[in-house]
Amino acid sequence: MASVKSFKQEYSSAQQTGLDHLPSTPAVFQATLSRSETMTSVLGMQSASPCARVWGVPFLFPALRIPRALPPMAVAPSNQEVSSGKGAVKSTRQLKKEQEQMARLWAEKWWPLAFSAQTSKLAPQSVWLLGVPLVLWWDHVAAAWRCTRDQCSHRLAPLSEGRIQTDTGCIECPYHGWTFDGAGACSKIPQLDESVVIDQRRARVLALPTLERQGLVWVWAGALSGCGAEEPRGEPATVAALDADGVAVTDYSRDLWMDATTLCENVLDPVRARGSQ
């Protein structure tokens, strides 16, 4: 307690003269300050200033004049080297590139959303894919499934709570009645005169390519990543044997509230395919 009290007194004295001459730290704070210095190097600071060195202990000394916001140097330039957390040093530009590659890896695929035979064609369906809310509905005019982001471009109301216009094939927002076609374009705004041209740059919603194969409704999710290919590549991963004569197929689905890692390692492993559990 004596060293802590002395340390606090020294810092109180330093406050009167400014932060340019901070006292030495006792051993009890070495681990904390060392961790703070590591933080400053990770954030891209060339040297630990006195303000940066005491980031780890401001809660002990509320009277100390510590800046409320991080210094501008904490934001690394686009080519600044930062730690990846595993000892390797990478530039922020390289890290961003790797993140975009990972996003495209997940998004640039055909994803099955629902069984067509078990999905209502009279009401929109709410579906989540890769953390993004989507709405799936049946276009009665084009006789095809449609899929867009489940957020109206006007006030972000969920389109899945709206209704399908059977005469136009569009989906209608439940809030102000805006309607959208299968391509995501806003086809009607009831509050506007019909002679007014709708600015699609602001009114349209994100639409995903959709098709039906082997009783499943598939969507191409490339546009969800923000950097992936919006146009589909190839065909969905179907099973040719299911189309053979004499093959009976039973659709079954179940909601599993777990992440992908738990699902792959503890549910979809080959041992459980034989019904051991």
Side-chain angles (χ1 to χ4, degrees):
M1 289 298 298
S3 59
V4 174
K5 182 178 180 180
S6 175
F7 183 65
K8 183 175 181 179
Q9 290 176 348
E10 292 184 31
Y11 264 93
S12 298
S13 176
Q15 182 184 9
Q16 305 298 327
T17 59
L19 296 177
D20 296 331
H21 304 284
L22 292 180
S24 58
T25 57
V28 68
F29 295 103
Q30 290 300 323
T32 303
L33 295 182
S34 177
R35 189 181 309 168
S36 301
E37 291 175 359
T38 303
M39 180 188 301
T40 60
S41 63
V42 170
L43 290 173
M45 299 186 66
Q46 301 298 329
S47 62
S49 65
C51 292
R53 291 180 62 86
V54 294
W55 280 351
V57 291
F59 62 94
L60 295 177
F61 310 101
L64 194 60
R65 293 181 294 181
I66 303 298
R68 293 181 178 271
L70 295 179
M73 291 183 62
V75 181
S78 59
N79 60 347
Q80 179 69 45
E81 293 185 347
V82 296
S83 173
S84 64
K86 297 183 179 180
V89 176
K90 300 180 180 180
S91 66
T92 54
R93 185 178 303 171
Q94 183 178 359
L95 291 176
K96 182 180 180 180
K97 182 179 179 180
E98 292 180 357
Q99 292 173 353
E100 291 179 351
Q101 291 176 346
M102 183 61 66
R104 290 196 299 267
L105 178 64
W106 282 95
E108 292 182 344
K109 287 179 174 57
W110 283 102
W111 289 86
L113 290 188
F115 292 112
S116 57
Q118 299 180 7
T119 305
S120 174
K121 295 182 178 181
L122 301 178
Q125 306 296 316
S126 175
V127 186
W128 283 78
L129 177 62
L130 302 178
V132 179
L134 303 176
V135 57
L136 181 69
W137 81 92
W138 177 256
D139 186 340
H140 293 267
V141 176
W145 292 101
R146 305 299 191 186
C147 183
T148 63
R149 192 180 183 95
D150 193 15
Q151 290 179 339
C152 179
S153 56
H154 183 209
R155 288 293 184 265
L156 304 182
L159 297 176
S160 57
E161 297 183 6
R163 64 176 181 175
I164 304 173
Q165 296 181 347
T166 57
D167 57 336
T168 63
C170 298
I171 187 171
E172 180 181 318
C173 176
Y175 198 5
H176 292 102
W178 289 32
T179 58
F180 302 90
D181 60 21
C186 181
S187 58
K188 183 179 180 180
I189 299 179
Q191 296 77 17
L192 290 181
D193 188 87
E194 294 183 357
S195 60
V196 178
V197 178
I198 301 176
D199 185 1
Q200 297 298 335
R201 295 174 301 175
R202 301 178 59 186
R204 71 181 302 111
V205 295
L206 176 66
L208 302 179
T210 312
L211 53 78
E212 182 178 351
R213 292 288 187 275
Q214 294 188 338
L216 289 171
V217 181
W218 302 76
V219 298
W220 176 263
L224 295 184
S225 66
C227 57
E230 297 183 5
E231 294 298 324
R233 299 175 181 173
E235 290 287 321
T238 56
V239 180
L242 296 180
D243 295 328
D245 295 335
V247 175
V249 179
T250 300
D251 296 334
Y252 172 81
S253 64
R254 179 183 177 186
D255 293 331
L256 300 175
W257 299 100
M258 60 187 67
D259 59 21
T261 303
T262 304
L263 178 66
C264 294
E265 294 182 352
N266 297 282
V267 179
L268 298 180
D269 55 302
V271 175
R272 285 160 180 77
R274 301 178 62 88
S276 61
Q277 296 185 359

